[in-house]
Amino acid sequence: MRMPTFEDFRIKTLGECRYPSPLNFPESLYESDDVRIRYAAEIPAETGMPDDISFEKAGPRQKIFFDPAETKAAIVTCGGISPGLNDVIRAIVMQLYYKYGVQHILGIQYGYKGLNPANWLEPVKLTPESVEGIHELGGTVLGSSRGQEDPAVMVNTLEKLGINILFCIGGDGTLRGAHVIAQEVEKRGLPISIIGLPKTIDNDIGYVAKTFGFDTAVAEAHEALQCAHVEARGAQNGIGLVKVMGRDSGFIAANATLANLDVNYTLIPEVPFDLHGKGAFLDVLEQRLKKRHHAVIVVAEGAGQEFFEGADEKDASGNILHKDIGVFLRDEITKYFKSKQMPITIKYIDPSYMIRSIPANASDSIFCAHLGRNAVHAAMAGKTDMIVGRWHDLFTHVPIPITTSSRKKISPDSFLWLSVLESTGQPVSMKSQS
Ligand code: F6P
C-alpha cells in the first residue's frame, strides 16, 4: 500500500462560499479551512521526519456555499444498525432547521434502496416535530439496507427531488457508495454535496479515531463479560466464553476486556493463535485452569477464521460472512478437556445483535450530536465527498477515498494491545511452540 500524502487529505468543495453564515456567532467561533489537525501526535525519535499528513478542521464557516432558503437536504442510513443512528438524524435535522434555516429535509427509506424508484420507497419529510424523541430509540427511524444501487439512478433521484445535500450515514460500504454518488454528481457538474458520517460498532473506519455506536456496544459487551465471569466463578474449572461482533477488527473485544478486568484471554482477528501444541491457546488455558480453576475468554467474531475451510460467502455489502468462531471454540475446548479427562463447565454467551440494537449511551449521544452538527456545517460550506471524523479529540474533515482505502485494525504493537496483554496476563503469542 502506498503511503498517503497531503493531497489525499485535501477536501473537495463545490465552489466559492458567497453567502454569509446565518449562525450569528462571534468571529472567534468560526473555523477557517486553513486550520489543520496533525495526523501524528507523537514526535518521532528520528527528528526531521516529515509529518505532512493532516486533516482539515471541522466546524462552522463564516461564509457558506448554499443559500439556506433554497437548500434541500436528504439523509440516508445504510448498513447494519448501530446505536446513535437516530441521534445523528435528529442532530442533522435540528441543526439544518433551526441554525441554518433549511426547511426542506427528506429522509430516504431503507438505505440506498430508497434512492432507486424501482423499490417504491417514497422519501419521508423530516422536521423538528417528526424527529422529536427519536434519539431515545435504538435502530434508525429511516430503516437501513446493505448493498449498492446504480449511482446514475440514485443521482437521477437526487436531481428529481431537487436535493442539494445528501448525508450518508454508515460504515465503509456506505461510504464507498457515497463516493460513487459524489463521482456521478461531479461528472454531471451538479452542485450537490455528499457528506458521510462514520457509523459502525466495529470502529474500523480508517483515519477516524472513533466511530459512533462503538462506545455503547463496548458497554453492552462488558455486561456480557461480567455475566461470563460470574458463571465461570460458579463452577470448578468454570469457563465463560463470550463472542462479540467485530468483523475484521477486534476493537470491541479489546475495549470490553479493558473495561471488564476479569477477562483472561482476548482473541482478535489481528493476532492469530493456534489451538493445539505447546504454548497454544488450549495448552495455556489448561495451565490456567489447573492454577486458578476458572477462566473468562472473549473472542471477536472475525478471529480464528483460518481454522475453517470452504468457500467464503459474502453479504450484500461485499463483506465476507464469517464462520462461527464462538461455537467452534466452545466445541474445541469441550473436546480437548474431555480427551484430557479433566472436567470443565463451559458457558457460552453470544450477545450478538443485542450490543448494537440498543439506544446510544451518554457518551455516544454526545458524540453523535457533535458529528451531526459538524456534518451540517461542512455541507452548508459546500464541502463534498468527505466524512466528519474525530482525531486527537477534535472533529475533522476526511476525504472519503482515503477513509475507505484501508480498514482500521488493532496493531499488535499498539498501546491498546499492550494494555490488553497487561490486563489479561495472556501470553504475547499463543502460537504453537511444538
Ligand atoms: O456493522 C458491523 C457489524 O455489526 C459487524 O460487527 C457484524 O459482523 C455485522 O455488522 C453483522 O451485520 P448484519 O448481520 O446486519 O449484516
Side-chain angles (χ1 to χ4, degrees):
M1 204 179 71
R2 76 168 174 85
M3 287 299 284
T5 65
F6 182 86
E7 278 310 307
D8 292 314
F9 293 86
R10 198 182 285 285
I11 297 297
K12 284 190 177 169
T13 62
L14 295 172
E16 195 196 334
C17 289
R18 287 183 295 118
Y19 298 94
S21 167
L23 295 179
N24 279 325
F25 286 154
E27 211 167 296
S28 58
L29 288 182
Y30 290 100
E31 290 297 344
S32 145
D33 283 353
D34 297 331
V35 178
R36 310 285 301 179
I37 312 293
R38 297 180 80 125
Y39 173 77
E42 210 168 286
I43 299 170
E46 318 82 55
T47 46
M49 201 149 129
D51 173 28
D52 57 353
I53 301 177
S54 58
F55 304 99
E56 184 175 291
K57 193 174 180 197
R61 300 314 199 241
Q62 227 166 344
K63 286 266 176 72
I64 58 176
F65 177 79
F66 288 111
D67 173 1
E70 302 292 325
T71 304
K72 265 193 176 183
I75 306 174
V76 64
T77 55
C78 311
I81 60 167
S82 179
L85 278 161
N86 287 329
D87 296 65
V88 172
I89 296 170
R90 183 180 179 278
I92 293 173
V93 172
M94 301 300 265
Q95 184 80 348
L96 281 170
Y97 196 95
Y98 286 120
K99 297 288 178 237
Y100 282 94
V102 173
Q103 297 191 350
H104 300 281
I105 313 165
L106 294 177
I108 306 300
Q109 295 199 73
Y110 298 104
Y112 290 135
K113 274 190 199 313
L115 286 173
N116 183 347
N119 295 315
W120 295 98
L121 295 164
E122 281 298 308
V124 293
K125 201 168 159 36
L126 295 175
T127 61
E129 293 72 38
S130 72
V131 298
E132 191 186 336
I134 64 168
H135 56 298
E136 286 161 20
L137 310 170
T140 159
V141 290
L142 297 177
S144 187
S145 65
R146 287 198 184 278
Q148 193 44 289
E149 294 288 333
D150 181 347
V153 172
M154 293 194 283
V155 175
N156 287 346
T157 306
L158 294 178
E159 276 199 273
K160 204 167 138 227
L161 294 170
I163 299 298
N164 311 104
I165 301 170
L166 178 67
F167 296 97
C168 303
I169 313 176
D172 64 347
T174 309
L175 299 177
R176 265 190 278 274
H179 176 60
V180 294
I181 296 174
Q183 282 179 313
E184 180 66 23
V185 163
E186 192 177 356
K187 200 169 88 189
R188 297 188 192 185
L190 300 169
I192 304 178
S193 156
I194 309 293
I195 303 290
L197 291 108
K199 167 237 67 170
T200 163
I201 60 165
D202 290 2
N203 193 27
D204 60 357
I205 305 279
Y207 299 100
V208 173
K210 189 172 71 162
T211 53
F212 78 82
F214 170 66
D215 272 357
T216 310
V218 168
E220 197 66 10
H222 164 54
E223 288 194 13
L225 291 177
Q226 284 176 316
C227 299
H229 184 235
V230 171
E231 291 288 347
R233 288 304 301 256
Q236 187 187 5
N237 295 338
I239 300 173
L241 169 63
V242 179
K243 183 182 81 170
V244 291
M245 283 189 166
R247 190 189 287 117
D248 297 306
S249 306
F251 289 102
I252 300 173
N255 282 273
T257 296
L258 296 180
N260 177 269
L261 303 172
D262 287 317
V263 174
N264 308 110
Y265 304 101
T266 304
L267 307 173
I268 60 169
E270 296 92 331
V271 181
F273 59 96
D274 287 328
L275 280 182
H276 298 281
K278 194 170 168 326
F281 172 62
L282 291 170
D283 178 41
V284 169
L285 178 61
E286 181 183 343
Q287 305 317 317
R288 173 173 166 95
L289 288 180
K290 283 181 174 156
K291 274 199 220 117
R292 302 281 294 123
H293 308 296
H294 76 280
V296 177
I297 306 157
V298 58
V299 60
E301 65 172 320
Q305 292 302 308
E306 56 281 5
F307 299 131
F308 302 95
E309 281 171 8
D312 289 326
E313 272 181 72
K314 292 195 175 167
D315 69 10
S317 310
N319 303 302
I320 291 174
L321 287 169
H322 288 321
K323 310 287 185 321
D324 196 333
I325 184 67
V327 168
F328 173 81
L329 273 186
R330 181 197 63 192
D331 295 346
E332 287 297 311
I333 292 169
T334 307
K335 255 195 286 174
Y336 177 80
F337 286 104
K338 207 165 179 187
S339 75
K340 297 256 158 180
Q341 294 182 336
M342 184 171 161
I344 58 156
T345 299
I346 184 160
K347 299 295 183 216
Y348 175 51
I349 301 176
D350 179 359
S352 181
Y353 293 98
M354 289 173 72
I355 70 168
R356 71 173 208 192
S357 52
I358 47 175
N361 66 13
S363 122
D364 258 328
S365 284
I366 295 170
F367 185 39
C368 288
H370 285 314
L371 285 174
R373 288 192 288 261
N374 279 307
V376 172
H377 292 316
M380 291 305 290
K383 296 178 186 294
T384 190
D385 202 6
M386 56 145 273
I387 64 163
V388 175
R390 188 158 97 157
W391 203 253
H392 307 319
D393 266 347
L394 294 163
F395 287 86
T396 55
H397 294 163
V398 193
I400 294 179
I402 192 69
T403 202
T404 53
S405 63
S406 59
R407 273 208 173 134
K408 193 174 67 180
K409 288 179 178 284
I410 297 181
S411 160
D413 300 327
S414 61
F415 171 70
L416 174 59
W417 189 243
L418 165 75
S419 311
V420 169
L421 293 177
E422 288 180 320
S423 177
T424 57
Q426 75 189 54
V428 173
S429 166
M430 289 192 279
K431 294 293 276 180
S432 166
Q433 295 150 22
S434 56

